[in-house]
Amino acid sequence: LRDTLMFTEFTQGVVAGCIALAIFSQLNYDKLMGRYSYVFLLATVILGLLLASPLGTGPGTSDAKVNLFFFQPVEIMRILIVFFLAGYFAADWDVLRDLRQKQGWLAQHFHIPRLDYAMPVAAGVLVGITIFFVLKDNGPALVIGCLFLILYSIARKRVLGAVVGFAIIALAFYGGHKLRFPKTVADRMDMWESPWRNTVSGGDQIAHSVWALSTGASTGTGLGLGSPSTLPAGHTDLILSAAGEELGFIGLLGIFLLYGTLTWRSLRIALRAPSSYSYFLVAGLTLIVALQLILIAGGLLGLLPLSGVVSPFLSFGRTSMVANFIALAIILAVSSRGGAPAQVRNFGQPTYILAGMLGLCGFAILGRAAYFQLVQPDQFAIKGAEVRFADKSLGLEYNPRLREILQQIPKGDVLDRNGLPLATNNWETLQRHNADYQRLGVSIDQTAVKNESRHYPLGPEFFYLVGDQRTSLHRGASNTAFLEHDARTRLQGFDDRRETIELHDPESDESYHVFQYDYSELLPLLRHRHEKDNPAVKAFIDRQRDVKMSIDSQLQLRASAILKNHLAKTGNNGAIVVLDPATGDLLAAVSYPWPEAWQFASFRKNPDRAMETALLDRARFGLYPPGSSFKIVTAIAALRLNPSLAHETFECKALGDGRVGNYVGKSKRPIRDDVQDRTAHGVVDMAKGITISCNAYFAQLGFYKVGAQPLLDTARQFGIFMARPNTPEKLKESLPQASYGQGQVVASPFQMARVAATVANNGKMPQGRWIVDDSNTRIEEPLTMLSPELASGLAGYMRAVVVSGTGRVLHGASIPIAGKTGTAELAKAPSHAWFIGFAPYGGAGKKIAFAVLVENGRYGGTAAAPIAGEIVQAAKEAGLL
């Protein structure tokens, strides 16, 4: 009531109820016996018809009608029905017991009352139940139906008729469920049949009830410390669940003991009533209270279908509060009139049986609550429920208290290798590093918005590395490695064991793939969310959540600017990867194009557009034919197999058509070098073959000396695929072409950077990593691919490429570079341009290894190599060399 600001109207209902209690407890109701019974029935019918008319309205979007002007007539109608039944049974209970129907098959086999006495009351009750069905509200219909059957059984002192009646009511509701009429009743039956997996709009009420109860567990959160506002209709239909959350099972037990005491004392008053009329009147009013409690509590716990009744004296509602006080006032009025032993003699046995049955119902309800609150509270507190969202799609919903906790857990920051935040939830963190951002030429006022939940101050140049939680762009795609996704468990501080499951919608026959979570690690926070000093809470909050990347922000920004400057003019796409050869740390990974800041808004609205804009993490996941840059892999494979192969020579000759190359094996189709190579290379060894990038040499080296298996094994070490399927048998079909990077060979810039890093690191291949936080400080042992002597020789060949070979555009660079160009031919498009290498060449200081790719750039020496030269200079300025 405090959270929903309804205390004023609630108080008005209590005050009005107290006034009604004072007035109605002074009347003598025995004077009404037998005189006005059918008047009460008529009044019930009139109120029902008014409620069913356009004057009646329902709550929210429900098709049930419960409101008439400023009050709820259903509460009054229940009391009127009791007056009608009390008058009828008081006048005819002895006749119903003693006079039997003598004609008909039923009369011959069963003890049934005279139909002329039983039919009027049955018809009257049937009219009442019909009215409630017309009103599409099953709760009052159930209360009235059960009320009639119980009072009828007491009057008859037999239960067979009641059993048959209950069966008929159950069949009626089941039939309505199958016929889908009324819709409210049908939906409630669906929810009861499958409280955790139904497709009813708003069909998670039972789940919300169980979440609240299991959150409260045995002792509750404490008064005022629950979350009643998260419950649908937590002030009315689910008020017991709200109480169970704040008071726990012990509190619910106390509430039911109070209800039990009220019920038992009321039934004792009925047995001491001065007349049979007042007996039936008190018994009927007592049953109204008890039945409402049983129906609503059973519905909240999944024992019964949900029904539109209230928890007496607890639920919000002025009309119901006043009606409950009136019922209590009538019971008090009867109690004050003295007693008569005749009621015990006539109705004692069925009344005690009734008390026992009501007690059993109470025990069943408490047993079910104990299952949720004492036996398995943890399992149900984190259990997911399938729900239908406002857009009609299906998904999984979880205890909303867990969502509140998730919003309060401080998410970790993503940091670069120097501790500069790349992603953070904390605006103050950005302010503390403002000077560092300014040194990089970044204004956080332009790249971050204060009221956003997550900030990415260095802009979209880091998108492929970090990701962006504000958009679903490429989220979950297999060709991405967003740190926000991959390190999600570390950043949020716990493992939710997220997995994808499929939900099927029987209405639309559509399937939805959604995430399923395990929030068991949040249970200490749920149980102690108002105890900041609790050891379990403190231990959880103190967990390390920050993730440090190996990326150097300055180099990443400079490399992004360099690549964009070169490619924006020509419209090409491309990628740059820079590694630390000694550790495998990824220092920079640039993929162009990246999504510009203004594009994110449109991608959020239409993610499919992003798929059409060639947005791809080319640096780590783009697969391209590597062309001549792959010749370094073939050289490594040859040297691993036999170091003397460095001196093995093969001929490159003129082919007679103006091209140069040679024939390999039995193929009648020659291996040709580049179209611009018009002079035969002659006798070529490995040093010359790498320097001038001779295809014919490497085709013959791979085919005649290396072989499919050794070459495949070497490529696999770098993660490079050479054939589809990637087997020696398949590779043999195109081994000459694959040996110089064509055929079916594909590699990513990251993989080719590792090839260059292996040569730079004295023949030891670093594994490569981009996370260097406390959980990943150990550097994996590099794999030895070559001896230092062989690696040094191969490095010299790559230096010759720059000094006098295909990469001589970099010969004049101030920092000596060793590298290898690549021109990967395509069937119907210009060739991809590659340049891989390392710097500085020679010496024992810090080095970087790199790979540069320009899609359709034609020649590596002219399109990719100049970019590499600028990258090396940028690395020096960033202090990495």
Side-chain angles (χ1 to χ4, degrees), residues 681-731:
H681 299 141
V683 177
V684 182
D685 62 4
M686 184 176 290
K688 184 177 179 181
I690 290 176
T691 303
I692 62 176
S693 195
C694 180
N695 293 347
Y697 167 80
F698 278 96
Q700 294 173 86
L701 176 67
F703 185 81
Y704 293 120
K705 296 298 180 180
V706 179
Q709 187 67 61
L711 184 56
L712 189 68
D713 290 342
T714 300
R716 278 175 174 168
Q717 298 291 347
F718 293 109
I720 298 172
F721 285 85
M722 298 195 66
R724 291 189 293 271
N726 200 35
T727 62
E729 292 74 19
K730 186 64 176 178
L731 178 57

Coordinates of all heavy atoms in Angstrom, one line a residue, residues 681-731:
H681 N 62.9 -15.6 -64.1 CA 63.7 -15.4 -62.9 C 64.9 -16.4 -62.9 O 65.8 -16.2 -62.1 CB 62.9 -15.7 -61.6 CG 61.7 -14.7 -61.5 ND1 60.5 -15.1 -61.0 CD2 61.6 -13.4 -61.8 CE1 59.7 -14.1 -61.0 NE2 60.3 -13.0 -61.5
G682 N 64.9 -17.4 -63.8 CA 66.0 -18.3 -63.9 C 66.0 -19.3 -62.7 O 65.0 -19.7 -62.3
V683 N 67.3 -19.6 -62.3 CA 67.4 -20.5 -61.2 C 67.2 -19.8 -59.9 O 67.8 -18.8 -59.6 CB 68.8 -21.2 -61.2 CG1 69.0 -22.1 -60.0 CG2 69.0 -21.9 -62.5
V684 N 66.2 -20.3 -59.1 CA 65.8 -19.6 -57.9 C 65.9 -20.5 -56.7 O 65.5 -21.6 -56.7 CB 64.3 -19.1 -58.0 CG1 63.8 -18.4 -56.8 CG2 64.1 -18.3 -59.3
D685 N 66.5 -19.9 -55.6 CA 66.5 -20.6 -54.3 C 65.6 -19.8 -53.4 O 64.9 -18.9 -53.8 CB 67.9 -20.6 -53.7 CG 68.5 -19.2 -53.4 OD1 67.8 -18.2 -53.6 OD2 69.7 -19.1 -53.0
M686 N 65.5 -20.2 -52.1 CA 64.5 -19.7 -51.2 C 64.7 -18.2 -51.0 O 63.7 -17.4 -51.0 CB 64.6 -20.4 -49.8 CG 63.5 -20.0 -48.9 SD 63.4 -20.9 -47.3 CE 62.9 -22.5 -47.9
A687 N 65.9 -17.8 -50.8 CA 66.2 -16.3 -50.6 C 65.7 -15.5 -51.7 O 65.0 -14.5 -51.6 CB 67.7 -16.1 -50.3
K688 N 66.0 -15.9 -52.9 CA 65.6 -15.2 -54.1 C 64.1 -15.3 -54.3 O 63.4 -14.4 -54.7 CB 66.3 -15.7 -55.3 CG 66.0 -14.9 -56.6 CD 66.9 -15.4 -57.8 CE 66.6 -14.6 -59.1 NZ 67.4 -15.1 -60.2
G689 N 63.6 -16.5 -54.1 CA 62.1 -16.8 -54.3 C 61.3 -15.9 -53.4 O 60.2 -15.4 -53.8
I690 N 61.7 -15.6 -52.1 CA 60.9 -14.8 -51.3 C 61.1 -13.3 -51.7 O 60.2 -12.5 -51.7 CB 61.4 -15.0 -49.8 CG1 60.9 -16.4 -49.3 CG2 60.9 -13.9 -48.9 CD1 61.4 -16.7 -47.9
T691 N 62.4 -12.9 -52.0 CA 62.7 -11.5 -52.4 C 61.9 -11.1 -53.6 O 61.3 -10.0 -53.6 CB 64.2 -11.4 -52.6 OG1 64.9 -11.8 -51.5 CG2 64.5 -9.9 -52.9
I692 N 61.8 -11.9 -54.6 CA 61.2 -11.5 -55.8 C 59.7 -12.0 -55.9 O 59.0 -11.8 -56.9 CB 61.9 -11.9 -57.1 CG1 62.1 -13.4 -57.2 CG2 63.3 -11.2 -57.1 CD1 62.7 -13.9 -58.4
S693 N 59.4 -12.9 -54.9 CA 58.0 -13.5 -54.8 C 57.7 -14.3 -56.1 O 56.7 -14.0 -56.8 CB 57.0 -12.4 -54.6 OG 55.7 -13.0 -54.2
C694 N 58.5 -15.3 -56.3 CA 58.4 -16.2 -57.4 C 57.4 -17.3 -57.2 O 57.7 -18.2 -56.4 CB 59.7 -16.8 -57.8 SG 59.7 -17.8 -59.3
N695 N 56.3 -17.3 -57.9 CA 55.3 -18.4 -57.7 C 55.8 -19.7 -58.2 O 55.5 -20.7 -57.5 CB 54.0 -18.0 -58.5 CG 53.3 -16.8 -58.0 OD1 53.5 -16.3 -56.9 ND2 52.4 -16.3 -58.8
A696 N 56.5 -19.7 -59.3 CA 57.0 -21.0 -59.9 C 57.9 -21.7 -58.9 O 57.8 -22.9 -58.7 CB 57.7 -20.7 -61.2
Y697 N 58.8 -20.9 -58.2 CA 59.7 -21.5 -57.2 C 58.9 -22.2 -56.1 O 59.1 -23.4 -55.8 CB 60.6 -20.5 -56.6 CG 61.3 -21.0 -55.4 CD1 62.5 -21.8 -55.6 CD2 60.9 -20.7 -54.1 CE1 63.1 -22.3 -54.4 CE2 61.5 -21.2 -53.0 CZ 62.7 -22.0 -53.2 OH 63.3 -22.6 -52.1
F698 N 57.9 -21.5 -55.5 CA 57.2 -22.1 -54.3 C 56.2 -23.2 -54.8 O 56.0 -24.1 -54.0 CB 56.5 -21.0 -53.6 CG 57.4 -20.2 -52.6 CD1 57.9 -19.1 -53.0 CD2 57.7 -20.8 -51.4 CE1 58.8 -18.4 -52.1 CE2 58.5 -20.1 -50.5 CZ 59.1 -18.9 -50.9
A699 N 55.7 -23.1 -56.0 CA 54.9 -24.2 -56.5 C 55.7 -25.5 -56.5 O 55.2 -26.6 -56.1 CB 54.3 -23.9 -57.8
Q700 N 56.9 -25.4 -57.1 CA 57.8 -26.6 -57.2 C 58.3 -27.1 -55.9 O 58.4 -28.3 -55.6 CB 58.9 -26.3 -58.2 CG 58.4 -26.0 -59.6 CD 59.6 -25.6 -60.5 OE1 60.3 -26.4 -61.1 NE2 59.7 -24.2 -60.6
L701 N 58.6 -26.1 -55.0 CA 59.1 -26.4 -53.7 C 58.1 -27.2 -52.9 O 58.4 -28.3 -52.3 CB 59.5 -25.2 -52.9 CG 60.0 -25.4 -51.4 CD1 61.3 -26.1 -51.4 CD2 60.1 -24.0 -50.7
G702 N 56.9 -26.7 -52.9 CA 55.8 -27.4 -52.2 C 55.4 -28.7 -52.7 O 55.2 -29.7 -52.0
F703 N 55.4 -28.8 -54.1 CA 55.0 -30.0 -54.7 C 56.0 -31.1 -54.7 O 55.7 -32.3 -54.3 CB 54.6 -29.7 -56.2 CG 54.0 -30.9 -56.9 CD1 52.7 -31.2 -56.8 CD2 54.9 -31.7 -57.7 CE1 52.2 -32.3 -57.5 CE2 54.3 -32.8 -58.4 CZ 53.0 -33.1 -58.3
Y704 N 57.3 -30.8 -55.0 CA 58.3 -31.8 -55.1 C 59.0 -32.1 -53.8 O 59.5 -33.2 -53.6 CB 59.4 -31.3 -56.1 CG 58.9 -31.3 -57.5 CD1 58.9 -30.1 -58.2 CD2 58.4 -32.4 -58.2 CE1 58.4 -30.0 -59.5 CE2 57.9 -32.3 -59.5 CZ 57.9 -31.1 -60.2 OH 57.5 -31.0 -61.4
K705 N 59.1 -31.1 -52.9 CA 60.0 -31.3 -51.7 C 59.2 -31.3 -50.4 O 59.6 -32.0 -49.5 CB 61.1 -30.2 -51.6 CG 62.0 -30.2 -52.8 CD 62.8 -31.5 -52.9 CE 63.8 -31.6 -54.0 NZ 64.5 -32.9 -54.0
V706 N 58.2 -30.5 -50.2 CA 57.5 -30.4 -48.9 C 56.4 -31.5 -48.9 O 56.4 -32.3 -47.9 CB 57.0 -29.0 -48.7 CG1 56.2 -28.9 -47.4 CG2 58.1 -28.0 -48.7
G707 N 55.5 -31.5 -49.8 CA 54.4 -32.4 -49.7 C 53.2 -31.9 -49.0 O 53.3 -31.0 -48.2
A708 N 52.1 -32.6 -49.2 CA 50.8 -32.1 -48.7 C 50.8 -32.2 -47.2 O 50.3 -31.2 -46.5 CB 49.6 -32.9 -49.3
Q709 N 51.2 -33.3 -46.6 CA 51.0 -33.5 -45.2 C 51.9 -32.5 -44.3 O 51.3 -31.8 -43.4 CB 51.4 -34.9 -44.8 CG 51.1 -35.3 -43.3 CD 49.6 -35.3 -43.0 OE1 48.8 -36.1 -43.6 NE2 49.2 -34.4 -42.1
P710 N 53.2 -32.4 -44.6 CA 54.0 -31.4 -43.8 C 53.5 -29.9 -44.0 O 53.5 -29.2 -43.0 CB 55.4 -31.6 -44.4 CG 55.4 -33.0 -44.9 CD 54.0 -33.2 -45.5
L711 N 53.1 -29.6 -45.2 CA 52.6 -28.2 -45.4 C 51.3 -28.0 -44.7 O 51.0 -27.0 -44.1 CB 52.4 -28.0 -46.9 CG 52.0 -26.6 -47.3 CD1 52.9 -25.5 -46.8 CD2 51.8 -26.4 -48.8
L712 N 50.4 -29.0 -44.7 CA 49.1 -28.9 -44.0 C 49.3 -28.8 -42.5 O 48.7 -28.0 -41.8 CB 48.2 -30.1 -44.3 CG 46.8 -30.1 -43.9 CD1 46.0 -29.1 -44.6 CD2 46.2 -31.5 -44.0
D713 N 50.3 -29.6 -42.0 CA 50.6 -29.6 -40.6 C 51.1 -28.2 -40.1 O 50.7 -27.7 -39.1 CB 51.6 -30.7 -40.2 CG 51.0 -32.1 -40.3 OD1 49.8 -32.2 -40.4 OD2 51.8 -33.0 -40.4
T714 N 51.9 -27.6 -40.9 CA 52.5 -26.3 -40.6 C 51.3 -25.3 -40.6 O 51.2 -24.4 -39.7 CB 53.6 -25.9 -41.5 OG1 54.6 -26.9 -41.4 CG2 54.1 -24.6 -41.2
A715 N 50.5 -25.3 -41.6 CA 49.5 -24.3 -41.7 C 48.5 -24.5 -40.6 O 48.0 -23.5 -40.0 CB 48.7 -24.5 -43.1
R716 N 48.2 -25.7 -40.2 CA 47.3 -25.9 -39.1 C 47.8 -25.3 -37.8 O 47.0 -24.9 -37.0 CB 47.1 -27.4 -38.9 CG 46.1 -28.1 -39.8 CD 46.0 -29.6 -39.6 NE 45.0 -30.2 -40.4 CZ 44.9 -31.5 -40.6 NH1 45.8 -32.3 -40.1 NH2 43.9 -32.0 -41.3
Q717 N 49.1 -25.3 -37.6 CA 49.6 -24.7 -36.4 C 49.3 -23.2 -36.3 O 49.1 -22.7 -35.2 CB 51.2 -24.9 -36.3 CG 51.7 -26.3 -36.3 CD 51.4 -27.0 -35.0 OE1 51.0 -26.4 -34.0 NE2 51.5 -28.3 -35.0
F718 N 49.2 -22.6 -37.4 CA 48.8 -21.2 -37.5 C 47.3 -21.0 -37.5 O 46.8 -19.9 -37.5 CB 49.5 -20.5 -38.7 CG 51.0 -20.4 -38.6 CD1 51.8 -21.2 -39.4 CD2 51.5 -19.5 -37.7 CE1 53.2 -21.1 -39.3 CE2 52.9 -19.4 -37.6 CZ 53.7 -20.2 -38.4
G719 N 46.6 -22.1 -37.6 CA 45.1 -22.0 -37.7 C 44.6 -21.8 -39.1 O 43.4 -21.4 -39.3
I720 N 45.4 -22.0 -40.1 CA 45.1 -21.7 -41.5 C 44.6 -22.9 -42.2 O 45.1 -24.0 -42.1 CB 46.3 -21.1 -42.3 CG1 46.8 -19.8 -41.6 CG2 46.0 -20.9 -43.7 CD1 48.1 -19.3 -42.2
F721 N 43.5 -22.7 -42.9 CA 42.9 -23.8 -43.7 C 43.4 -23.8 -45.1 O 43.5 -22.7 -45.7 CB 41.3 -23.7 -43.7 CG 40.7 -24.1 -42.4 CD1 40.6 -23.2 -41.4 CD2 40.2 -25.4 -42.2 CE1 40.0 -23.6 -40.2 CE2 39.7 -25.8 -41.0 CZ 39.5 -24.9 -40.0
M722 N 43.7 -25.0 -45.7 CA 44.3 -25.0 -47.0 C 43.4 -25.7 -48.0 O 43.7 -25.7 -49.2 CB 45.7 -25.7 -47.0 CG 46.7 -25.0 -46.1 SD 48.4 -25.6 -46.4 CE 48.6 -25.1 -48.1
A723 N 42.4 -26.5 -47.5 CA 41.5 -27.2 -48.5 C 40.2 -27.4 -47.8 O 40.0 -27.3 -46.6 CB 42.2 -28.5 -48.9
R724 N 39.2 -27.8 -48.6 CA 37.9 -28.1 -48.1 C 37.4 -29.5 -48.7 O 37.2 -29.6 -49.9 CB 36.9 -27.0 -48.5 CG 37.1 -25.7 -47.8 CD 36.0 -24.8 -48.0 NE 35.9 -24.3 -49.4 CZ 36.6 -23.3 -49.9 NH1 37.3 -22.5 -49.1 NH2 36.5 -22.9 -51.1
P725 N 37.5 -30.6 -47.9 CA 37.9 -30.6 -46.4 C 39.4 -30.4 -46.3 O 40.1 -30.7 -47.2 CB 37.4 -32.0 -46.0 CG 37.4 -32.8 -47.2 CD 37.0 -31.9 -48.4
N726 N 39.8 -30.1 -45.1 CA 41.2 -29.8 -44.8 C 42.0 -31.0 -44.6 O 42.5 -31.3 -43.5 CB 41.3 -28.8 -43.6 CG 42.6 -28.0 -43.6 OD1 43.1 -27.7 -44.6 ND2 43.1 -27.8 -42.4
T727 N 42.2 -31.8 -45.6 CA 42.9 -33.1 -45.5 C 44.0 -33.1 -46.6 O 44.0 -32.4 -47.6 CB 41.9 -34.2 -45.8 OG1 41.4 -34.1 -47.1 CG2 40.7 -34.2 -44.8
P728 N 45.0 -34.0 -46.3 CA 46.1 -34.1 -47.3 C 45.6 -34.5 -48.7 O 46.1 -34.1 -49.7 CB 47.1 -35.1 -46.6 CG 46.7 -35.1 -45.2 CD 45.3 -34.8 -45.1
E729 N 44.7 -35.5 -48.7 CA 44.2 -36.0 -50.0 C 43.6 -34.8 -50.8 O 43.8 -34.7 -52.0 CB 43.2 -37.0 -49.7 CG 43.7 -38.3 -49.1 CD 44.1 -38.2 -47.7 OE1 43.6 -37.2 -47.0 OE2 44.9 -39.0 -47.2
K730 N 42.8 -34.0 -50.1 CA 42.2 -32.9 -50.9 C 43.2 -31.8 -51.2 O 43.1 -31.3 -52.3 CB 41.1 -32.2 -50.0 CG 40.3 -31.2 -50.7 CD 39.5 -31.7 -51.9 CE 38.6 -30.7 -52.5 NZ 37.9 -31.2 -53.7
L731 N 44.2 -31.6 -50.4 CA 45.2 -30.6 -50.7 C 46.1 -31.0 -51.9 O 46.5 -30.1 -52.6 CB 46.1 -30.4 -49.4 CG 47.2 -29.4 -49.6 CD1 46.8 -28.0 -50.0 CD2 48.0 -29.3 -48.3

